[in-house]
Amino acid sequence: MSANVHTLKLASGAFRVADDGPRDAPALVLSNSLGTTLEMWDAQARSFASHYRVLRYDTRGHGASVASPGPYSIAQLGGDVLAILDALHIAQAHFCGISMGGLTGLWLGVHAAPRMRSLAVANSAAKIGSAAAWNERAAQVRANGAAGMRALADSSPGRWFTEGFIAAQPATVQAAQGWIAGIDPEGYASCCEALAQEDLRAAIAAIATPTLLIAGSGDPVTTVADAEAMRAAIAGAELAVVPASHLSNLEAPQAFDLALASFLARH
């Protein structure tokens, strides 16, 4: 897909953005996970571009977007989303983010509620992992550069997909490995540092935007229990559990799209 990909030059740097669907339709922003690019959403763009203006972008430090010196913060990544919407003259949007993108969505729900029509937070948590582990990974990637990114690519399938999916869909797994292998080490490390320092567990109780939580039944990174904790904290939040590991939109696209489409249709 990605026929309508262009570079959007903002005050904070240049962002690679894909813009599909009718310009007058409600906007749906899709935000990628750590270590991937906007191509991770190709199937969703095909599914949703008939009814929505689907905006995908390479998160700061990823793909062909700016890899400014770090560390980054989730507030900075949320600000990038708002800057993209401003540049495209979009007042309000639905937002769907996965993993790091989901945490970005939670930040937007807390700090930029008037801009958000709805939030879909997939395979994420109000605090993801431990600061020590993220800072250690950032240091390793900075020390090892491109070789460090290739090592992460080698180990990523076990974190991202179930064993059955890895065996059945090697082409999808290899494509995902290619995304992470090609990411700028400084950009990746800086996003690890953003994840290290962000903790929205107390703040998300303020979210009043309609919220869908999507969890993977086999996700070892951000668990169903993490999603249950967010549902307990966010008034009215809905939860859908799909048969997948961490990158659920790639592993279970039909279940993912059905949950998201049903939620968006109500909001």
Side-chain angles (χ1 to χ4, degrees):
M1 185 133 187
S2 307
N4 298 308
V5 178
H6 60 276
T7 299
L8 199 59
K9 294 185 178 178
L10 308 176
S12 59
F15 284 81
R16 178 172 170 255
V17 176
D19 190 346
D20 297 290
R23 292 299 176 268
D24 58 349
L28 170 62
V29 178
L30 302 175
S31 182
N32 59 286
S33 65
L34 179 71
T36 64
T37 64
L38 63 81
E39 277 76 18
M40 79 171 302
W41 296 111
D42 278 356
Q44 284 69 44
R46 285 191 292 270
S47 295
F48 288 92
S50 56
H51 293 97
Y52 297 91
R53 180 179 180 180
V54 180
L55 296 168
R56 296 169 288 155
Y57 67 102
D58 288 341
T59 297
R60 179 180 296 272
H62 287 62
S65 287
V66 59
S68 54
Y72 304 159
S73 67
I74 296 299
Q76 185 177 14
L77 302 186
D80 291 337
V81 175
L82 299 175
I84 289 169
L85 293 176
D86 288 345
L88 297 174
H89 308 291
I90 296 171
Q92 273 195 320
H94 300 285
F95 183 92
C96 176
I98 190 163
S99 193
M100 179 176 68
L103 188 56
T104 301
L106 292 173
W107 184 93
L108 289 164
V110 172
H111 296 284
R115 305 296 298 275
M116 299 293 109
R117 288 189 173 201
S118 71
L119 297 173
V121 177
N123 301 85
S124 195
K127 178 169 178 55
I128 302 175
S130 72
W134 286 121
N135 287 324
E136 180 181 359
R137 190 186 295 187
Q140 288 175 341
V141 167
R142 282 207 179 91
N144 297 317
M149 296 309 301
R150 288 193 296 272
L152 281 173
D154 290 339
S155 65
S156 63
R159 291 190 300 274
W160 284 351
F161 305 111
T162 62
E163 290 184 8
F165 185 82
I166 293 168
Q169 300 290 340
T172 301
V173 174
Q174 289 167 7
Q177 288 178 290
W179 299 331
I180 189 169
I183 287 171
D184 179 271
E186 173 63 24
Y188 183 92
S190 298
C191 283
C192 288
E193 289 164 335
L195 291 168
Q197 59 93 31
E198 191 60 81
D199 185 349
L200 291 173
R201 286 176 290 188
I204 60 172
I207 294 177
T209 303
T211 300
L212 170 68
L213 306 165
I214 300 175
S217 58
D219 187 348
V221 181
T222 50
T223 63
V224 174
D226 287 324
E228 292 277 14
M230 290 188 287
R231 180 168 66 169
I234 301 169
E238 304 171 34
L239 172 60
V241 180
V242 300
S245 183
H246 192 55
L247 297 189
S248 64
N249 71 305
L250 289 171
E251 183 162 348
Q254 288 178 308
F256 186 100
D257 291 1
L258 183 62
L260 180 58
S262 174
F263 171 73
L264 291 175
R266 297 194 301 277
H267 300 288

